[in-house]
Amino acid sequence: EQLRACDLCAHRCGVDRLAGAVGRCRVGADARIAAACAHHGEEPAISGTRGSGTIFTAGCNLRCVYCQNHQISQGDPADVPAYPAARLAELYLDLQRRGCHNLNWVSPTHVAPQLVAALATAVARGLRLPVVYNTNGYDSLELLRLLDGIVDIYLPDLKYADSAVADRLSRAPGYPDAALAAIAEMYRQVGDLALDDDGVAVRGVIVRHLVLPHDLAGSREILRRLAEEVSPTVTVSLMAQYYPAHRAAAVPELARPITVAEYDAALDAFADAGLENGWA
């Protein structure tokens, strides 16, 4: 029903996607799936030893100029196959058969209803993997409240401290407040990261923060707010792998990787915020 006047993300386009209309994400009633695979490049607690069962959705509610996944997220979703619930459920079950530790929905926000419908079908057929919700953080609270009890592990980005920067680089006005509110709701649902005996996540929140050149992410301010508005014990993945992908080379501030000094400054910001858990 959320698709009838879509409010899944913070854009709240309000279009009737069940009738074929599309909003910012450019995806209608059907989920479009670009890839499904056992992924070994996530955080250690997500990939484990057997990989994370990733489902890469086509389309996105953001337009990041430096998107490192732009072939999937920024291309035309109509060029990607549509997956009804039964077909998508088979993908889930195949990832379980391949031994993956979890079911990892990558960029799920704009197709969360379709992903959940397929989950219901797959669970009835024996799916038992924990669900990872791997999001850019621009999710609506209305959506997240409906996911309470469905998602086991939330893996949100926390991209920016400044709304004007978020709008300029990702077309995401109001991003800092929206993302922090979303992460607070995620944390309310599943709490701190919990691992099994093999060090693989079974529940909790991991917040990803990508350090950007020239401190465009505002790392010190956003990490301070995360500790104060969510919790100092929330787990943070402080990422250094930025490179000028997609259209970033045309933006002077984004046209190079980060420096060692810029990453060290983010590490200092993490410590000064009083954050206690995470990866560097």
Side-chain angles (χ1 to χ4, degrees):
E1 288 302 308
Q2 299 299 108
L3 296 174
R4 292 193 186 280
C6 190
D7 62 355
L8 298 177
C9 82
H11 285 302
R12 293 182 171 83
C13 295
V15 300
D16 186 351
R17 290 171 58 191
L18 294 181
V22 298
R24 297 290 186 96
C25 67
R26 299 169 297 149
V27 176
D30 294 321
R32 294 184 178 272
I33 306 302
C37 62
H39 186 40
H40 295 270
E42 306 280 42
E43 285 74 10
I46 301 296
S47 288
T49 57
R50 301 191 304 272
S52 177
T54 47
I55 301 287
F56 289 92
T57 71
C60 185
N61 57 329
L62 299 189
R63 293 288 182 276
C64 301
V65 296
Y66 54 89
C67 181
Q68 299 178 24
N69 196 28
H70 62 93
Q71 297 92 338
I72 292 173
S73 67
Q74 306 301 326
D76 186 351
D79 294 336
V80 178
Y83 275 72
R87 186 182 180 195
L88 187 50
E90 186 54 41
L91 283 185
Y92 297 174
L93 292 163
D94 181 62
L95 293 168
Q96 178 169 269
R97 287 190 291 266
R98 293 166 63 181
C100 294
H101 293 286
N102 45 59
L103 177 63
N104 185 349
W105 293 334
V106 181
S107 299
T109 307
H110 60 296
V111 288
Q114 297 94 322
L115 294 170
V116 171
L119 184 68
T121 299
V123 167
R125 295 177 55 191
L127 185 77
R128 294 296 179 266
L129 296 178
V131 173
V132 180
Y133 189 85
N134 186 343
T135 172
N136 57 41
Y138 206 54
D139 303 86
S140 73
L141 294 179
E142 294 88 342
L143 168 62
L144 293 172
R145 288 168 183 147
L146 289 171
L147 294 174
D148 192 357
I150 295 172
V151 172
D152 301 283
I153 302 151
Y154 282 102
L155 188 58
D157 292 340
L158 186 56
K159 293 180 178 293
Y160 306 107
D162 187 282
S163 181
V165 174
D167 196 16
R168 179 164 66 96
L169 300 183
S170 296
R171 298 189 196 171
Y175 180 91
D177 290 344
L180 283 164
I183 292 169
E185 172 59 21
M186 297 172 191
Y187 189 79
R188 182 196 69 78
Q189 292 180 22
V190 297
D192 285 323
L193 185 64
L195 308 177
D196 65 15
D197 292 340
D198 296 319
V200 177
V202 293
R203 187 174 174 85
V205 177
I206 301 171
V207 178
R208 286 173 163 170
H209 179 68
L210 179 66
V211 181
L212 294 177
H214 299 285
D215 195 32
L216 285 168
S219 299
R220 178 166 292 275
E221 172 65 11
I222 203 64
L223 293 175
R224 178 194 65 78
R225 289 189 63 184
L226 178 66
E228 292 180 358
E229 298 176 30
V230 180
S231 173
T233 60
V234 68
T235 298
V236 177
S237 179
L238 196 63
M239 302 189 297
Q241 66 261 46
Y242 172 81
Y243 66 95
H246 195 30
R247 296 187 284 111
V251 181
E253 309 103 300
L254 291 173
R256 61 162 175 83
I258 66 169
T259 65
V260 172
E262 286 170 332
Y263 190 71
D264 284 346
L267 289 172
D268 290 342
F270 176 94
D272 292 345
L275 292 161
E276 302 173 14
N277 301 307
W279 291 276

